[in-house]
Amino acid sequence: MTVYDAIVLAGGAAKRLGGADKPALRVGGRALLDRVLAACADAAATVVVGGRRPTVRPVTWAREEPQGGGPLAALGAGVRLTTAGHLLVLSADLPFLGESTVKELLAAAAQGERDGALCVDQDGRDQPLVAVYRSEPLRRELALLATEHGSLAGLPLRLLTHELDLSRVEASPLASFDCDTWEDIAAARARIREHGTVLDEWITAVKNELGIELDVDTDVLLDLARDAAHGVARPAAPLTTFLVGYAAAKASGDGGGAEAVAEAARKAAALALRWADEAETP
């Protein structure tokens, strides 16, 4: 795994959101900034450029000079506080960014002698704030731009990316979906409640809220809940899954473990089936 630092740009005026505090807006019960921080949880160091706020994990804070100076000025402020050879650069409004996309970018950036890798969206547009850059060429080009223009304030990101040799990564269609308007926020909130994704989103949100690092096999737990509800009584479903979690935590030490959950669920499911058999046997 490539060692990397993460830089998350969490400033900006959010004009199309009426000046709302965009990084703090919630999608699926979690702040946009926290969702992005979860996707890069294994970064060696994480710098957030923007106003200080509570976050799901510790970060280093920075501010661009001048404040409101734009993404290049913010990127320059973040780079100064990093040391890794590869830098993951993200905006703070990516509700669907996942660890898999981060890994794809890191893998692409580590190949050959190119200067990094960035996402391209469904329309083929470059997304320079969903990207991994090699530190040395990034620092060099930022310094050259600052010298040429007097500062980085107000400069567009394309001035940077045009000077770098970057790979393009076609990640999942939603990886670079960002929230610039209230319509985007509404669309993101609706999408995570769709049938195919709502359970994974909910489990992730609960683990985040409780500080749990655990891979949960939702199919196993849902099967257990169904068996308990059918074979015993409907209220037995949530009570049984709670007891399984408690037993798994005791069996595997503080924090629990996937194997302990699976074993406890297996035992409880077998018990529920035996209970049902007794009720059906004359």
Side-chain angles (χ1 to χ4, degrees):
M1 183 66 182
T2 302
V3 176
Y4 72 97
D5 289 341
I7 302 172
V8 182
L9 307 190
K15 292 180 180 178
R16 288 196 281 173
L17 287 166
D21 183 6
K22 181 162 64 169
L25 294 177
R26 296 186 180 277
V27 172
R30 293 190 291 161
L32 285 172
L33 175 56
D34 282 343
R35 296 179 73 91
V36 172
L37 292 176
C40 57
D42 59 352
T46 301
V47 180
V48 178
V49 186
R52 289 175 176 266
R53 67 192 69 234
T55 52
V56 70
R57 62 181 179 84
V59 301
T60 300
W61 295 96
R63 289 308 301 257
E64 71 275 21
E65 292 292 341
Q67 291 187 22
L72 265 188
L75 181 56
V79 165
R80 288 194 289 272
L81 298 177
T82 61
T83 59
H86 286 84
L87 303 178
L88 172 70
V89 177
L90 302 169
S91 60
D93 61 348
L94 303 166
F96 302 113
L97 180 72
E99 294 180 10
S100 60
T101 298
V102 172
K103 290 178 180 178
E104 284 185 68
L105 289 169
L106 287 167
Q111 294 177 359
E113 298 299 321
R114 307 192 80 169
D115 297 329
L118 52 70
C119 269
V120 293
D121 64 18
Q122 289 180 289
D123 298 320
R125 293 172 298 193
D126 288 350
Q127 300 296 317
L129 297 184
V130 190
V132 170
Y133 301 95
R134 286 178 48 228
S135 174
E136 188 277 328
L138 179 63
R139 293 177 188 275
R140 180 191 67 233
E141 292 304 328
L142 286 172
L144 289 172
L145 286 171
T147 299
E148 180 180 354
H149 297 274
S151 79
L152 296 174
L155 299 182
L157 277 167
R158 66 176 179 273
L159 292 181
L160 173 69
T161 54
H162 283 176
E163 298 300 326
L164 296 173
D165 180 18
L166 301 170
S167 299
R168 267 64 182 175
V169 173
E170 294 182 9
S172 64
L174 291 175
S176 61
F177 178 90
D178 56 0
C179 294
D180 290 327
T181 67
W182 288 114
E183 288 77 13
D184 294 335
I185 294 290
R189 288 172 172 170
R191 184 175 289 274
I192 67 165
R193 286 169 170 77
E194 292 177 354
H195 177 71
T197 59
V198 65
L199 285 179
D200 286 339
E201 285 285 350
W202 172 247
I203 292 297
T204 299
V206 171
K207 290 192 294 184
N208 179 269
E209 192 73 15
L210 300 179
I212 297 171
E213 291 294 337
L214 175 66
D215 290 329
V216 177
D217 190 330
T218 55
D219 289 337
V220 167
L221 294 180
L222 288 174
D223 287 345
L224 168 61
R226 181 200 62 214
D227 291 340
H230 174 74
V232 184
R234 188 172 297 275
L239 293 172
T240 304
T241 53
F242 165 77
L243 291 172
V244 164
Y246 182 79
K250 286 190 65 177
S252 59
D254 186 26
E259 297 82 2
V261 171
E263 178 62 14
R266 184 192 65 77
K267 290 180 178 178
L271 175 61
L273 292 175
R274 294 197 301 270
W275 189 291
D277 286 342
E278 290 179 13
E280 296 171 1
T281 301

